[in-house]
Amino acid sequence: GRARLHFAYGDYIESARRASLNVSGLRGLGAPRVIATALWLEGQALLGLRDWPRARAVLEEAVAIFASFEQRGQVPEVAARAALSCVGLGDLPAARAHIATADAALLQRDHDSQHITLVAKATLAAAEGDPDTAERRFREALAVLAPAREDNLAEGRVHYARFLIDTGRIADARQQLLEARAFYRDPLAAPRRDEIDALLKRCEVGV
């Protein structure tokens, strides 16, 4: 729907708003898996906004619903994103628990789920002060997708670039950002380019 489209273009505010409206409209219809999918969309938009508390709340609800139906294709996707929200909040034990949930449900050929789970593991490792593990996990996250899913690959490059900036590897960060930016050529993807440009600005000033 439009929530997904707005997210793809980087309009996280509108994506979160539309997904939240969808969730509200669906709650009375008795379709929990559809609600969980809408919560997933809302949660990933809130992650884009770095609204960690709200992202955690909706993603943890989505995890619980998908897990109750043993939806192994969806559980890792939402649990890994819940882990990212917990890292943002500084709740590292909760992040580890969500990653364990994602790992337990991963399917061998589900590269998208493997990718976001590896991103979550990398982000957690960085927060734990283990940059070597974080580096390895980020590289694995990019490798598991390339070259099939350019959209998720571009997002993964931005995650990796944030880590590289934080660890002072400015030239490497710039390379990842420029490769990600090249994917967002659509005029409607201006918010994505703006997000990347803000990170490139950080590269210029070295912070």
Side-chain angles (χ1 to χ4, degrees):
R2 290 195 174 275
R4 192 183 304 275
L5 185 63
H6 282 288
F7 178 81
Y9 289 139
D11 187 351
Y12 304 132
I13 293 174
E14 185 62 15
S15 178
R17 187 187 73 82
R18 287 181 177 271
S20 180
L21 288 173
N22 290 342
V23 170
S24 298
L26 289 165
R27 286 201 184 276
L29 300 180
R33 280 177 283 193
V34 180
I35 293 170
T37 299
L39 288 165
W40 173 3
L41 291 172
E42 183 181 2
Q44 69 180 6
L46 292 169
L47 286 178
L49 293 170
R50 306 176 82 76
D51 186 342
W52 311 126
R54 289 174 62 205
R56 178 178 183 173
V58 298
L59 289 166
E60 287 184 340
E61 183 180 356
V63 172
I65 295 171
F66 282 133
S68 71
F69 288 97
E70 299 184 355
Q71 298 286 293
R72 292 185 63 190
Q74 289 78 24
V75 168
E77 292 269 8
V78 290
R81 287 176 170 84
L84 290 173
S85 70
C86 290
V87 172
L89 289 167
D91 190 346
L92 303 191
R96 291 186 206 104
H98 284 305
I99 288 171
T101 297
D103 267 338
L106 273 176
L107 298 169
Q108 184 177 2
R109 295 181 182 274
D110 188 348
H111 295 156
D112 287 344
S113 291
Q114 291 171 20
H115 167 76
I116 193 61
T117 301
L118 286 164
V119 167
K121 289 178 177 180
T123 304
L124 175 60
E128 290 174 329
D130 186 353
D132 292 339
T133 297
E135 169 76 17
R136 185 172 70 254
R137 294 301 193 191
F138 274 123
R139 288 187 174 275
E140 290 171 354
L142 298 183
V144 78
L145 282 183
R149 284 297 302 272
E150 289 189 53
D151 53 346
N152 285 350
L153 185 59
E155 284 188 45
R157 291 189 187 282
V158 174
H159 280 293
Y160 184 26
R162 290 183 186 277
F163 163 74
L164 293 169
I165 292 170
D166 289 342
T167 53
R169 294 168 56 191
I170 301 304
D172 291 338
R174 185 181 292 108
Q175 178 183 346
Q176 293 297 327
L177 292 168
L178 291 174
E179 290 188 38
R181 197 182 192 285
F183 170 74
Y184 296 115
R185 296 181 295 273
D186 192 305
L188 293 176
R192 290 281 190 181
R193 294 192 296 276
D194 290 345
E195 178 185 3
I196 291 170
D197 288 346
L199 292 170
L200 286 167
K201 187 68 174 178
R202 287 182 60 192
C203 291
E204 290 177 12
V205 299
V207 297

